[in-house]
Amino acid sequence: MYDETRHEGPAGPPRPHRTAAVIPAAGRGVRLGPGAPKALRALGGIPMLIHAVRAMARSRAVSLVVVVAPPDGAAEVRNLLDEVSLPERTDLLVVPGGETRQESVRAGLDALPEDVTAVLIHDAARPLVPVDTVDAVVEAVRDGAPAVVPALPLADTVKEVEPAGRPGEPEAVLGTPERSRLRAVQTPQGFDRKTLVRAHETIAVNGEGATDDAGMVEKLGVTVVVVPGHEEAFKVTRPLDLVLAEAVLARRRATDAY
Ligand code: CTP
Ligand code: MG
């Protein structure tokens, strides 16, 4: 439980410290198929984004949630979130996002007030992350890790290939990394705020931009650590993921009055 608002620095008086969660939710969800922007698609009758906001607000460490909305939908998202009851401790900001996830995260970071010292970046597309996973990430950051990612071992073996020119064409295998050394990373990823801002200011990523914030911090030469992720923190990417998410939610509602 992390409801304290101050902690002892290595020297001198207690340093005020505050954790915010930034939720990039500005993507279109092309892989999910036609329809509303992915974050606004319903899960158990409620937009996925609302599940994600509540998942962050459920952590007693989080006192601010910044939602990065589709650029043309910020007002709609604001109205939607005004209807949501959040704990007393939780402030909410909505800002417009950008063309890439990296730009959207940057927009969220730019909106953080001065007093925020630690930041979680959490995909709206991971609406069902359990609070224990959020707290484990926060705890590792508060223990001094500059960058923390929740991750799980892989079920499938992974091959590196030479990507084919056209979809569906056979691809030459270049190698097979040892599966036991691989982890599939999830969110929320947790950071010392200054470290993540420095990464966003100095690391340029071409094309679609960075899809992984921790990867940018690695490029600074800063150590990133992995903590255990959770099966239910999976990302809703393709239509089948929605089926799974509905099933997980139905089970929660049946068993723990969720
Ligand atoms: N995201 C964002 N801004 C973008 C692109 C993505 O805020 N320009 C967010 C998405 O809303 C999502 C998270 O980043 O919560 C992870 O991205 P992804 O799962 O790839 O979502 P989309 O980009 O929306 O989906 P797709 O790639 O299938 O279009
Ligand atoms: Mg995407």
Side-chain angles (χ1 to χ4, degrees), residues 21-177:
V22 170
I23 304 185
R28 282 184 288 272
V30 171
R31 288 169 291 176
L32 200 54
K38 180 160 72 178
L40 302 180
R41 301 273 285 259
L43 183 60
I46 299 168
M48 221 180 299
L49 173 61
I50 292 182
H51 290 283
V53 168
R54 285 189 178 144
M56 294 300 104
R58 215 167 272 135
S59 169
R60 290 159 57 115
V62 173
S63 60
L64 169 65
V65 176
V66 179
V67 171
V68 187
D72 53 357
E76 183 192 346
V77 165
R78 179 77 243 183
N79 289 338
L80 191 69
L81 291 170
D82 280 343
E83 303 301 311
V84 177
S85 68
L86 292 175
E88 186 77 21
R89 61 175 174 265
T90 317
D91 294 333
L92 185 70
L93 287 173
V94 178
V95 298
E99 276 300 305
T100 64
R101 183 183 182 282
Q102 188 182 337
E103 286 173 32
S104 295
V105 170
R106 180 70 188 262
L109 293 176
D110 286 347
L112 294 177
E114 276 293 304
D115 62 345
V116 170
T117 53
V119 59
L120 302 174
I121 309 292
H122 182 63
D123 294 328
R126 298 181 190 271
L128 299 177
V129 61
V131 68
D132 288 355
T133 306
V134 182
D135 283 342
V137 170
V138 171
E139 183 174 5
V141 174
R142 291 194 172 180
D143 283 349
V148 180
V149 301
L152 290 177
L154 276 82
D156 295 325
T157 294
V158 171
K159 302 271 184 209
E160 184 181 0
V161 299
E162 185 60 53
R166 274 175 298 179
E169 269 181 19
E171 300 173 316
V173 170
L174 300 178
T176 308

Side-chain angles (χ1 to χ4, degrees), residues 126 129-130 132-134 136-137 140 147-155 179-190 212 214 218 224-234:
R126 298 181 190 271
V129 61
D132 288 355
T133 306
V134 182
V137 170
V148 180
V149 301
L152 290 177
L154 276 82
R179 190 177 65 192
S180 63
R181 295 175 62 86
L182 298 178
R183 300 289 179 268
V185 308
Q186 305 178 321
T187 73
Q189 299 189 349
D212 177 56
E218 284 160 51
V224 175
V225 297
V226 161
V227 297
H230 196 284
E231 276 188 334
E232 294 180 6
F234 67 93

